[in-house]
Amino acid sequence: MSSWIEIPTNSDFTLENIPFGIGSAGGNPRAATRIGDNVIDLDALQKAGLFAGLNLPEEIFNQPVLNDFIELEKPITNAVRARIQELFAANNGELRDDEALRVDALRSVSEVQMHMPVRIGDYTDFYSSREHATNVGTMFRDPNNALLPNWLHIPVGYHGRASSIVISGTPLHRPKGQTKADEAELPTFGPTRLLDFELEMAFVVGKSNALGTSVSVEEAESHIFGMVVFNDWSARDIQKWEYVPLGPFLAKNFGSSISPWIVTMEALAPFRSASPKQEPKVLSYLEMKKDHNFDINLEAIIETEGGASKTVSNSNFKHMYWSMAQQLAHHTVNGCNMNVGDMCASGTISGPTPDSYGSMLEITWRGSKPIAMPDGTERKFIQDGDSVIMKAYCEKNGKRVGFGEVRTKVLPAT
Ligand code: MN
């Protein structure tokens, strides 16, 4: 697909993508898409009549979150995406030849501030990478029994906190909390010394299910609107002291960062891939009859305050042992109701080799193998002033669909 607007080589935002987000350029935040380095105001296109025929509610794009748009469901949201592709196709003059509207509706990305794309009601974090669970189990428990007995049978997860999920570009302060050194008798209070990222992706629920009903593996992707890159910030020393018996709490809920553009499942469809073989066989409600995984390249970068940057991980979403379809089927199998805008993160996505591990905990193996930065400093974990940048994209047969990035700067503890 070629467009009449310029799409730089290697852009994540091709005509095949057409993600959805919330942007503002001086005015009120409202729905937008991105092609190349242009952000397109969907409200302006609707008011100009370019979505006539789709029977969209008035002002559907003139809202600070996408929840109501997503709630229109896929027959409508897919038609909007297809119409945008049509409007920007090289041979289409409807918008191309309307200079006044073009000036009104298109903005350079550098002029646009992005905002949280959805109002997230509830947030769940899974733990679905076998390599990550094995690495953590090896470090903290027993290398010979790294996976707990339930792990190969259940997509393990915990309920996180939605209020502290923030958009890319939002700085976070180093959290404070209780920690206890192994040799210490009592805990102490202070800023975390082991601030870490977790390289994850998350899906946005696109269709609710009523309390008491379940979503099957086969139906699950029709309940998923799309995906974002997700950095699940973690304070390892706080985590270690607090997590038994009920799991993560203050080590995780001080902030999680997401990329601003929700890439739809339809845009990701060409990059479908097989999951790792599941052995032992899963219970029937978790069985997959087709491929539900996706080949998405992932990268994590540390950038110092002085601008020295280094890629510390190259992973891939396809390493996930449990698919999103299985996660959603499991999440609802007991009748738990999910709502439009709910977010489910994958868990840290570690690949099989050390250069594909998805957290500093694993990359530096609890700090025993520090990373050399290009400015001569070392990193065991994340320091004040550092930014962590995560990127994700799919590429196949010369076609690229990507997510852009999520970028977060760490400020000192307050
Ligand atoms: Mn996590």
Side-chain angles (χ1 to χ4, degrees):
M1 286 192 222
S2 66
S3 176
W4 50 264
I5 55 175
E6 192 197 338
I7 301 174
T9 312
N10 285 334
S11 175
D12 285 348
F13 302 99
T14 56
L15 210 50
E16 285 81 6
N17 191 344
I18 313 296
F20 293 95
I22 296 289
S24 66
N28 59 311
R30 51 189 184 263
T33 189
R34 177 171 170 176
I35 301 174
D37 292 334
N38 290 278
V39 175
I40 296 128
D41 179 347
L42 298 179
D43 182 54
L45 299 190
Q46 184 183 18
K47 288 190 170 131
L50 292 180
F51 293 120
L54 296 183
N55 291 319
L56 299 177
E58 280 178 37
E59 308 290 334
I60 190 68
F61 297 119
N62 192 20
Q63 301 191 33
V65 286
L66 294 168
N67 294 59
D68 288 353
F69 171 66
I70 295 171
E71 208 152 319
L72 298 175
E73 297 196 1
K74 285 183 187 273
I76 307 290
T77 58
N78 288 345
V80 168
R81 181 168 163 268
R83 175 62 175 149
I84 296 167
Q85 289 172 325
E86 181 180 82
L87 283 171
F88 285 89
N91 60 2
N92 190 304
E94 290 174 82
L95 178 56
R96 182 192 64 202
D97 302 339
D98 185 340
E99 197 193 339
L101 179 58
R102 233 176 43 227
V103 168
D104 186 39
L106 271 63
R107 292 272 188 286
S108 162
V109 281
S110 59
E111 297 170 49
V112 178
Q113 187 189 346
M114 298 302 294
H115 305 268
M116 282 294 288
V118 283
R119 185 177 52 250
I120 303 169
D122 282 301
Y123 154 57
T124 298
D125 192 23
F126 283 93
Y127 190 56
S128 287
S129 154
R130 183 175 189 159
E131 289 81 1
H132 173 67
T134 302
N135 288 337
V136 172
T138 299
M139 275 185 264
F140 288 102
R141 285 187 306 271
D142 174 6
N144 297 313
N145 295 291
L147 289 181
L148 287 168
N150 60 6
W151 200 92
L152 294 168
H153 300 277
I154 292 177
V156 170
Y158 69 94
H159 283 123
R161 188 158 182 90
S163 66
S164 54
I165 300 179
V166 295
I167 193 77
S168 175
T170 309
L172 290 173
H173 287 278
R174 177 174 297 271
K176 295 177 288 194
Q178 276 197 34
T179 60
K180 192 183 88 63
D182 286 338
E183 61 281 8
E185 195 185 327
L186 293 169
T188 54
F189 177 81
T192 177
R193 287 177 302 250
L194 307 181
L195 181 62
D196 201 356
F197 60 78
E198 290 192 331
L199 177 56
E200 306 194 13
M201 298 202 66
F203 69 80
V204 176
V205 172
K207 186 176 177 180
S208 303
N209 66 290
L211 183 67
T213 68
S214 306
V215 178
S216 69
V217 167
E218 288 72 38
E219 295 168 315
E221 280 176 21
S222 71
H223 284 246
I224 299 176
F225 179 69
M227 298 176 71
V228 294
V229 190
F230 192 99
N231 182 351
D232 180 23
W233 288 97
S234 301
R236 299 300 180 196
D237 42 2
I238 297 171
Q239 184 179 357
K240 184 163 181 273
W241 172 230
E242 75 174 4
Y243 87 105
V244 177
L246 287 184
F249 186 32
L250 303 184
K252 299 279 190 173
N253 71 4
F254 61 92
S256 308
S257 313
I258 63 168
S259 56
W261 296 103
I262 304 176
V263 176
T264 66
M265 298 314 292
E266 289 68 30
L268 296 171
F271 309 99
R272 194 174 285 283
S273 88
S275 290
K277 186 170 165 47
Q278 296 189 317
E279 186 66 52
K281 199 168 171 315
V282 299
L283 289 172
S284 62
Y285 79 93
L286 290 169
E287 267 174 35
M288 296 189 287
K289 295 185 175 67
K290 62 167 194 171
D291 292 338
H292 288 285
N293 210 336
F294 293 88
D295 183 351
I296 307 173
N297 300 290
L298 303 170
E299 182 180 9
I301 300 155
I302 298 175
E303 187 181 288
T304 67
E305 196 144 43
S309 89
K310 179 160 183 164
T311 294
V312 294
S313 179
N314 283 293
S315 187
N316 193 301
F317 188 76
K318 72 181 177 190
H319 297 309
M320 299 291 292
Y321 189 84
W322 296 104
S323 67
M324 293 181 286
Q326 290 176 312
Q327 290 170 344
L328 190 54
H330 183 68
H331 205 314
T332 58
V333 75
N334 64 346
C336 174
N337 52 327
M338 308 291 286
N339 292 308
V340 166
D342 285 357
M343 190 165 274
C344 291
S346 57
T348 308
I349 305 160
S350 293
T353 54
D355 61 348
S356 62
Y357 292 170
S359 66
M360 292 298 276
L361 177 70
E362 296 161 89
I363 294 165
T364 71
W365 209 254
R366 285 174 108 170
S368 65
K369 299 174 185 168
I371 283 185
M373 294 295 291
D375 63 359
T377 60
E378 276 188 349
R379 290 293 180 282
K380 295 176 178 172
F381 288 90
I382 304 303
Q383 295 186 0
D384 292 347
D386 287 350
S387 293
V388 172
I389 301 121
M390 293 176 179
K391 302 181 181 187
Y393 71 93
C394 308
E395 200 158 42
K396 190 179 174 184
N397 302 330
K399 301 286 185 208
R400 180 165 167 137
V401 167
F403 292 78
E405 65 178 33
V406 51
R407 171 186 289 264
T408 318
K409 185 173 182 178
V410 173
L411 304 177
T414 52

